[in-house]
Amino acid sequence: MRSLFLGICILPTSLVVGCGFGEVLDAPPVRALTGPAIPVAPVQDPLPLDSFNVDPCGVLDRAEVAALIADPPDKVKAERYSFGYDRACKWDQFRAGSLTVGIPRAATGSLEERVDQHKRDPSKFSHWRELSISGLPAVEQVGNPPAFEYNGSTLKACTVEVGVTDTELLEFRYSQVNDAKSQYWGDDRCAVALKAAEFVIGNLRGR
């Protein structure tokens, strides 16, 4: 598994709210390691999804949930989630943040199709970045408009989509109540989504 932590508390103020740590982590999590954009197809080293398909909520351990959502993660609720996905898990604690990791419905298409959609109509996205993570092609995107209403609250989200095969993508979507600040990530929602992707890819490759 990749490194979780920095040894000392020297981080940009935009990344860490305060310098105290929770009950699980003794140092703040480091940002995900990303690389430049690579071809979205063919995927050179496909990611095995067998264990994810069996137990999507088992792809993050307690320390990883603490790093991404809340530390300690005792009040984070993890449940299978099906709205818009073939298989997914959602980790949620109101105001601490919500993370959904899943395989979107087949109609969403592959990462290659997603990139083509952006080329045809970039106005659908307020933020778009093509990159690579853990050797896989990916995009980081925010919808347009960036804020949306859900269950009476105004939310903002960032989504990272990773091409795990030539025809499938794995989606990482992190959302926050508009004025909320993450314990370790502030309001950098894309940093959380990328770190979730790094964790999950590493865990799935190790199984």
Side-chain angles (χ1 to χ4, degrees), residues 128-204:
W128 178 273
R129 180 168 74 110
E130 297 178 30
L131 65 146
S132 59
I133 185 164
S134 302
L136 294 168
V139 299
E140 172 190 286
Q141 53 100 340
V142 177
N144 189 22
F148 58 96
E149 298 296 320
Y150 181 75
N151 283 347
S153 297
T154 301
L155 304 180
K156 289 185 176 179
C158 180
T159 301
V160 170
E161 296 169 310
V162 179
V164 295
T165 71
D166 291 350
T167 59
E168 288 183 297
L169 60 86
L170 196 56
E171 182 179 285
F172 303 82
R173 179 179 173 86
Y174 178 76
S175 62
Q176 289 173 307
V177 176
N178 191 31
D179 60 349
K181 298 287 185 181
S182 165
Q183 183 175 359
Y184 291 127
W185 307 93
D187 59 2
D188 194 342
R189 290 170 285 273
C190 290
V192 184
L194 286 168
K195 191 64 181 179
E198 184 181 70
F199 281 152
V200 170
I201 293 168
N203 292 342
L204 291 178

Side-chain angles (χ1 to χ4, degrees), residues 13-171:
T13 55
S14 62
L15 180 60
V16 176
V17 180
C19 214
F21 309 118
E23 296 179 7
V24 175
L25 307 188
D26 57 8
V30 299
R31 285 179 174 268
L33 180 63
T34 61
I38 60 176
V40 296
V43 174
Q44 296 298 320
D45 188 14
L47 185 68
L49 295 177
D50 294 347
S51 61
F52 182 85
N53 290 333
V54 172
D55 181 17
C57 292
V59 295
L60 293 173
D61 65 24
R62 177 177 167 82
E64 291 164 344
V65 175
L68 297 168
I69 308 292
D71 186 6
D74 302 337
K75 295 182 180 180
V76 177
K77 182 179 180 181
E79 61 182 351
R80 291 197 180 212
Y81 189 71
S82 60
F83 184 73
Y85 296 90
D86 284 338
R87 287 166 300 285
C89 185
K90 183 176 183 179
W91 292 263
D92 181 76
Q93 182 178 329
F94 186 66
R95 299 199 69 82
S98 177
L99 171 69
T100 303
V101 179
I103 301 171
R105 296 261 168 86
T108 302
S110 64
L111 188 64
E112 186 175 30
E113 291 173 286
R114 178 68 87 196
V115 171
D116 287 343
Q117 290 170 11
H118 173 257
K119 289 178 180 177
R120 291 194 299 269
D121 189 2
S123 67
K124 289 183 177 180
F125 306 91
S126 61
H127 169 74
W128 178 273
R129 180 168 74 110
E130 297 178 30
L131 65 146
S132 59
I133 185 164
S134 302
L136 294 168
V139 299
E140 172 190 286
Q141 53 100 340
V142 177
N144 189 22
F148 58 96
E149 298 296 320
Y150 181 75
N151 283 347
S153 297
T154 301
L155 304 180
K156 289 185 176 179
C158 180
T159 301
V160 170
E161 296 169 310
V162 179
V164 295
T165 71
D166 291 350
T167 59
E168 288 183 297
L169 60 86
L170 196 56
E171 182 179 285

